[in-house]
Amino acid sequence: MARRAWATAYAGRHRAGLSHRDQFATIDAIAVEEVNLADELRDALGDGDRRALVELLAVLGLFWTIRGEHTRLIAMTGAVADAVRDWQPPLELEDTARAALVTTMIGVMVTDDRRSEPI
């Protein structure tokens, strides 16, 4: 629990910086802890902690998108969809949940080329 609390707090402190003039410093700060944050994201996904899932995904998803690591999002899209299906986030978490899910969908859309499929 202490690690999860640390991870969500760390993500929360750095989320706004990803789309701010401090973006490079924020990317560096997240990169230092990326493995720990991603481990905690996977654990939250596995144990059904939706709050931690969207808090971490909102940051890591945008971080991976900025770095062009869309496959990181694609690999977990189905599990994320299953985890949040029929879930109504609490009011204070709605924007974070929306950011996490939109970023995940964008990651999939960026790499999904339907034009190459047979008609």
Side-chain angles (χ1 to χ4, degrees):
M1 280 303 187
R3 181 176 161 179
R4 176 115 1 125
W6 166 84
T8 57
Y10 192 88
R13 281 193 309 273
H14 292 89
R15 182 173 169 216
L18 285 170
S19 55
H20 190 263
R21 69 176 180 261
D22 297 330
Q23 185 181 63
F24 292 122
T26 301
I27 288 171
D28 290 344
I30 293 170
V32 168
E33 296 294 348
E34 178 184 7
V35 170
N36 294 320
L37 295 169
D39 285 348
E40 202 56 42
L41 172 63
R42 280 188 294 278
D43 289 348
L45 188 57
D47 65 22
D49 184 348
R50 295 169 175 166
R51 174 179 285 275
L53 170 65
V54 297
E55 288 175 329
L56 293 165
L57 187 57
V59 171
L60 285 171
L62 185 52
F63 172 77
W64 291 328
T65 299
I66 289 168
R67 291 177 43 162
E69 298 179 30
H70 305 290
T71 56
R72 303 283 301 261
L73 290 168
I74 293 167
M76 63 176 57
T77 300
V80 169
D82 290 343
V84 298
R85 185 171 286 115
D86 300 323
W87 177 56
Q88 180 64 43
L91 184 60
E92 73 276 6
L93 202 58
E94 283 182 351
D95 287 342
T96 302
R98 190 174 298 115
L101 299 176
V102 166
T103 302
T104 303
M105 290 180 350
I106 289 170
V108 172
M109 291 168 41
V110 163
T111 60
D112 187 22
D113 185 3
R114 299 264 179 211
R115 293 171 295 168
S116 64
E117 292 181 4
I119 298 178

